Amino acid sequence: MNQSTANDAVASPGVDGRTARWASHREERRAELVRAARRAVHRLGPDVPMEDIAAAAGTSKSVFYRYFRDKAGLQAAMGSLVLAQMQERIAAAAAAAQTPYEGLRAMVAAYLGMAARSPHVYEFVTRVPADPDRAFGSFFDAVGSMIQAPMARYLGPAASATLDYWPPAAIGLVRAAGERWLTAAPSAHKPSLDDMAGLITDWLFAGIAAQATGPVGGAAGADHGPRPAAPLPPQETR
């Protein structure tokens, strides 16, 4: 039994300091298992069984069940990690944007980039589990909220209904178009990641352009300058 597996044995911590240390250990170990599972899914695919995930992590399936209860619990935990990292990438990309169009386009590109870096992990964390009560819909709710931010700068105060209904419609379009792009076979006609992000952003802006009260800043039909070339990101190995 290795040290990690031994530490996963059920313990009976005391109170105060020991309880806090045990709770901290559990959180660290849980995060370690999520990272190991992510590497396994990236390498072995979204249908990898729990036995293989556990073997790749150097532990047993029962240990994973102790920390996550079942595969759906692991899926949700891994999705939280992926979303947190995606939020960091989006924030960094959008911070340099000068217009709402650029901000939205940076977010769309970050979303597509996440999927392209590791399509197996993307499918694993976005797939609806067998139990609908634990479906990972909160993942896309959070992405929709992030997409809403630049639109608040673009639309006037009277467009509150649009800000309520447009983000979920937008993320539906981004997801449907993005997943079709992701699974399309390579060809001379397949857009690059950067071009696909630009197309999706143009479609989204065109749908609400009539309600805009501020400067368009690069919506469909406006001169928003050439899009810089951006190759597909490297495969993720973390």
Side-chain angles (χ1 to χ4, degrees):
M1 179 182 295
N2 61 37
Q3 185 62 40
S4 294
T5 303
N7 289 340
D8 288 320
V10 177
S12 300
V15 294
D16 302 326
R18 283 192 297 165
T19 300
R21 287 193 296 272
W22 177 247
S24 176
H25 161 74
R26 281 189 59 83
E27 286 304 311
E28 290 174 3
R29 179 60 172 150
R30 192 173 190 273
E32 177 185 310
L33 292 172
V34 169
R35 290 191 294 269
R38 180 176 179 171
R39 290 192 293 270
V41 171
H42 173 81
R43 183 167 54 89
L44 301 174
D47 297 316
V48 57
M50 287 294 287
E51 291 88 347
D52 291 352
I53 291 176
T59 188
S60 66
K61 184 170 68 172
S62 62
V63 167
F64 269 90
Y65 286 156
R66 186 177 306 140
Y67 282 86
F68 304 103
R69 191 169 72 172
D70 54 19
K71 195 171 186 177
L74 174 62
Q75 177 186 12
M78 193 186 303
S80 296
L81 173 64
V82 169
L83 180 58
Q85 294 179 341
M86 180 182 177
Q87 288 173 318
E88 292 177 2
R89 294 184 183 119
I90 286 176
Q98 300 299 311
T99 67
Y101 177 92
E102 292 176 3
L104 180 61
R105 188 173 172 280
M107 293 183 180
V108 173
Y111 178 90
L112 296 178
M114 180 198 73
R117 270 186 293 274
S118 186
H120 290 162
V121 171
Y122 174 85
E123 182 177 349
F124 185 81
V125 302
T126 57
R127 178 184 292 172
V128 177
D131 182 352
D133 292 334
R134 287 180 290 179
F136 203 60
S138 59
F139 178 88
F140 290 104
D141 289 342
V143 174
S145 296
M146 287 188 284
I147 286 179
Q148 181 178 346
M151 290 304 96
R153 296 168 49 200
Y154 179 60
L155 299 174
S160 59
T162 298
L163 290 175
D164 285 341
Y165 293 102
W166 180 84
I171 195 60
L173 188 155
V174 173
R175 182 181 184 184
E179 290 179 0
R180 184 176 182 112
W181 167 80
L182 185 68
T183 58
S187 74
H189 303 292
K190 183 175 180 178
S192 67
L193 186 155
D194 191 74
D195 286 340
M196 193 67 206
L199 285 172
I200 291 174
T201 307
D202 286 348
W203 299 334
L204 293 174
F205 257 77
I208 59 172
Q211 300 181 51
T213 59
V216 173
D223 180 11
H224 45 67
R227 297 177 184 133
L232 286 175
Q235 285 292 304
E236 183 172 308
T237 57
R238 289 179 297 168

